[in-house]
């Protein structure tokens, strides 16, 4: 395999989270992803960069966007991509996460993409294997490639991240997307607000460098970007809202609440969206404002960048042994 790009400023073996990454490392990942946007719009989207490399997608939780885009990303770079179905695996017979990881490790993959229901599940696995690991989402902890694709979408639309007023709204408490986005956007100099009922905010929110609002119109005033989050019911233990109807009334994004943001404010959502719960259907489908489909497109480019850079780092690590 020949990498024609110079060594990236992102030199880690794994991509487990955004927390702790520097602006230079984040920019390196985004700049590499930018190169793939054009390639993905051509008729021939394939390159041979990762020929001979093996990528295994190991998803313990459901996914449409992340798993599909990692598969496409790997295939477009010429890698062999295996999607391991947890539902049909020996995990169903009681095999542990670690034993599963060691079994896959023995097959010499180059990159494992892992989504796990527990915060830290991906980190644990990364400590046991010899390949690179990308976190495809671990519990309520982090979803680094989602934050990168969101940042790429914003940067392409606004030309920068620094100084933008960005509101992240909804179920912050259970959201790995919110956590990764907060780390990335604060690191890159954006002015981040979170808007949520008290019950859907972590007690540690004050330490993350964001401004906190409990009223949508106050939180959205003069914002450049509005990111909506779904209620993460699969991670909820008990009742966090009085009713869906009331939640939509107070926290669902509709044109009335949107009217206080900047006139050209962009609407984002990582998906899957629950229409009529956190976002009005007509707002989600207003493609003069909504960049939800563009986020999905950027997801493939970002995942190609992550696979390229981690494969390059792994090769350099192996060559120095
Ligand atoms: N945004 C996101 O992670 O979507 P999926 O759950 O479909 O991968």
């Amino acid at each position: 395999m020949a990498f024609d790009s110079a060594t990236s400023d992102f030199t880690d073996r794994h991509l487990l989270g955004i927390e702790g990454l520097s602006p230079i490392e984040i920019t390196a990942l985004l700049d590499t992803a930018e190169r793939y946007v054009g390639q993905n719009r051509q008729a021939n989207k394939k390159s041979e960069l990762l020929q001979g490399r093996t990528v295994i997608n190991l998803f313990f939780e459901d996914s449409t966007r992340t798993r599909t885009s990692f598969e496409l990303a790997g295939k477009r770079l010429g890698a062999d991509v295996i999607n391991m179905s947890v539902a049909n695996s020996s995990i169903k017979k009681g095999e542990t996460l670690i034993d599963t990881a060691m079994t896959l490790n023995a097959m010499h993959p180059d990159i494992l993409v892992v989504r796990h229901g527990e915060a830290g599940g991906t980190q644990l696995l990364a400590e046991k294997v010899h390949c690179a690991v990308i976190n495809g989402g671990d519990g309520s902890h982090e979803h680094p490639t989602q934050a990168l694709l969101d940042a790429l979408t914003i940067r392409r639309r606004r030309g920068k991240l620094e100084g933008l007023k960005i509101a992240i709204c909804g179920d912050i408490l259970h959201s790995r997307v919110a956590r990764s986005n907060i780390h990335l956007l604060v690191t890159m100099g954006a002015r981040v607000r979170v808007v949520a009922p008290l019950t859907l905010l972590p007690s540690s929110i004050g330490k993350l460098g964001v401004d906190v609002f409990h009223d949508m119109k106050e939180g959205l005033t003069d914002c450049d970007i509005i990111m909506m989050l779904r209620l993460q019911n699969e991670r909820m233990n008990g009742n966090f809202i009085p009713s869906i109807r009331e939640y939509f009334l107070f926290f669902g994004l509709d044109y009335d609440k949107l009217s206080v943001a900047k006139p050209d404010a962009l609407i984002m959502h990582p998906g899957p969206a629950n229409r009529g719960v956190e976002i009005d259907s007509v707002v989600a489908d207003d493609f003069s404002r909504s960049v939800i489909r563009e986020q999905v497109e950027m997801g493939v480019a970002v995942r190609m960048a992550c696979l390229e850079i981690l494969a390059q780092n792994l090769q350099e690590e192996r060559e120095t042994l």
Side-chain angles (χ1 to χ4, degrees):
M1 178 178 56
F3 290 102
D4 45 14
S5 59
T7 302
S8 163
D9 283 319
F10 183 89
T11 55
D12 295 352
R13 182 201 282 199
H14 308 297
L15 177 63
L16 300 177
I18 298 292
E19 187 176 11
L21 297 189
S22 67
I24 289 174
E25 289 173 310
I26 291 167
T27 302
L29 291 162
L30 295 180
D31 288 349
T32 304
E34 185 67 54
R35 292 204 330 269
Y36 284 115
V37 177
Q39 180 176 319
N40 286 336
R41 289 179 180 174
Q42 291 169 9
N44 182 3
K45 300 167 182 64
K46 285 206 79 162
S47 76
E48 307 289 296
L49 197 66
L50 296 196
Q51 197 173 35
R53 302 299 187 195
T54 305
V55 177
I56 300 182
N57 284 329
L58 177 60
F59 278 57
F60 292 86
E61 278 190 346
D62 296 340
S63 170
T64 297
R65 293 151 200 78
T66 312
R67 188 169 55 185
T68 309
S69 58
F70 266 115
E71 181 176 359
L72 269 180
K75 287 180 173 169
R76 286 182 184 173
L77 291 169
D80 297 314
V81 183
I82 313 295
N83 288 317
M84 201 183 127
S85 166
V86 169
N88 300 318
S89 73
S90 290
I91 290 162
K92 290 284 166 200
K93 300 175 195 162
E95 192 164 41
T96 64
L97 173 64
I98 300 299
D99 285 341
T100 304
M102 298 316 292
T103 301
L104 295 176
N105 193 52
M107 299 180 199
H108 299 292
D110 298 283
I111 301 179
L112 274 180
V113 182
V114 184
R115 172 170 285 189
H116 198 269
E118 296 298 325
T122 316
Q123 164 88 44
L124 183 70
L125 196 142
E127 288 164 9
K128 303 286 176 192
V129 296
H130 298 124
C131 63
V133 175
I134 299 177
N135 183 0
D138 63 326
S140 305
H141 179 226
E142 282 239 32
H143 192 350
T145 57
Q146 179 69 46
L148 288 164
L149 75 88
D150 290 340
L152 185 64
T153 307
I154 299 169
R155 205 178 71 161
R156 286 175 60 80
R157 284 291 190 132
R158 291 289 176 262
K160 61 175 186 177
L161 297 167
E162 191 177 359
L164 293 178
K165 276 189 201 159
I166 302 179
I168 306 177
C169 313
D171 182 3
I172 311 291
L173 178 63
H174 301 100
S175 175
R176 54 197 176 208
V177 173
R179 210 156 269 101
S180 289
N181 261 307
I182 290 169
H183 288 310
L184 189 151
L185 294 168
V186 169
T187 301
M188 299 305 285
R191 294 158 67 189
V192 182
R193 304 166 169 193
V194 294
V195 190
L198 206 55
T199 50
L200 291 175
L201 282 169
S203 55
S204 58
I205 193 72
K207 297 179 190 152
L208 297 181
V210 299
D211 293 319
V212 179
F213 294 84
H214 304 298
D215 178 272
M216 282 289 274
K217 279 198 165 172
E218 284 175 23
L220 299 192
T221 298
D222 288 332
C223 274
D224 299 282
I225 310 285
I226 301 164
M227 286 186 183
M228 299 307 300
L229 301 171
R230 75 182 170 88
L231 294 168
Q232 315 264 303
N233 291 311
E234 71 276 24
R235 279 190 266 285
M236 287 187 189
N237 222 338
N239 291 328
F240 288 79
I241 56 165
S243 68
I244 295 293
R245 211 176 123 124
E246 209 164 322
Y247 183 77
F248 180 70
L249 186 66
F250 288 103
F251 291 96
L253 185 66
D254 54 18
Y255 280 123
D256 179 47
K257 298 185 189 85
L258 185 58
S259 66
V260 298
K262 287 202 176 136
D264 62 348
L266 300 177
I267 300 159
M268 304 181 74
H269 195 306
N274 291 136
R275 293 164 182 265
V277 181
E278 74 275 6
I279 191 164
D280 196 340
S281 223
V282 288
V283 174
D285 292 336
D286 178 352
F287 295 113
S288 69
R289 312 288 294 273
S290 165
V291 292
I292 296 172
R293 290 192 303 203
E294 209 167 303
Q295 288 172 266
V296 176
E297 181 189 359
M298 294 310 127
V300 182
V302 156
R303 283 148 188 152
M304 289 172 85
C306 293
L307 293 178
E308 177 196 322
I309 290 173
L310 291 194
Q312 183 170 14
N313 292 350
L314 195 65
Q315 177 171 297
E316 284 169 8
E317 190 182 308
R318 285 170 177 164
E319 283 169 0
T320 55
L321 285 178

